[in-house]
Amino acid sequence: MNTHMGKIVVGNEVIAQYAGSVAVECFGIVGMAGVNVKDGLVRLLKMDSITRGISVTLNRNKLILDFHVIVAYGVSILAVADNLISNVKYKVEEFTGIEIEKINIYVDGVRVID
């Protein structure tokens, strides 16, 4: 972003961290998923490595976010996805000032919550 005082650059890692913290607050999201390409195993990521489950791309000054999530057992995936998209879109656009073009959600696992 260019301002009258200079240029502001927000790193993809910062956007991913913020988007991840918003996502895990959403109903039905257990956490972000980390996929081991070699083994094909999916595991729940801890909060300190949450950004590995999120991909951020800047395309023509618009953001594209990819989320790899683990959802709670028994909830509607469509409802969870709609909630995630609306919350992340609103909060990330407000935080960064950059419009979101697309949010892709990949459900990589289901987990029973105690």
Side-chain angles (χ1 to χ4, degrees):
M1 293 176 272
N2 290 316
T3 67
H4 69 283
M5 301 210 33
K7 188 175 184 179
I8 300 171
V9 178
V10 180
N12 287 355
E13 187 77 12
V14 173
I15 296 170
Q17 183 71 41
Y18 185 75
S21 65
V22 170
V24 296
E25 292 174 357
C26 292
F27 170 77
I29 299 291
V30 176
M32 296 295 118
V35 180
N36 185 336
V37 177
K38 185 177 100 178
D39 301 331
L41 297 174
V42 176
R43 64 185 178 93
L44 182 64
L45 295 173
K46 294 182 173 123
M47 283 302 287
D48 57 343
S49 59
I50 200 168
T51 58
R52 292 196 351 234
I54 302 168
S55 170
V56 177
T57 308
L58 187 63
N59 184 23
R60 297 186 313 272
N61 292 328
K62 293 184 181 179
L63 290 171
I64 299 173
L65 303 175
D66 294 334
F67 287 86
H68 291 268
V69 297
I70 296 175
V71 297
Y73 177 79
V75 298
S76 166
I77 292 175
L78 181 60
V80 170
D82 284 343
N83 186 28
L84 176 75
I85 289 169
S86 64
N87 283 347
V88 168
K89 182 172 174 39
Y90 174 74
K91 289 184 178 177
V92 171
E93 283 181 349
E94 187 176 283
F95 176 68
T96 62
I98 304 170
E99 184 181 346
I100 293 181
E101 179 180 336
K102 189 188 312 183
I103 297 175
N104 300 310
I105 300 172
Y106 302 94
V107 178
D108 291 333
V110 177
R111 184 118 347 139
V112 176
I113 299 176
D114 298 335

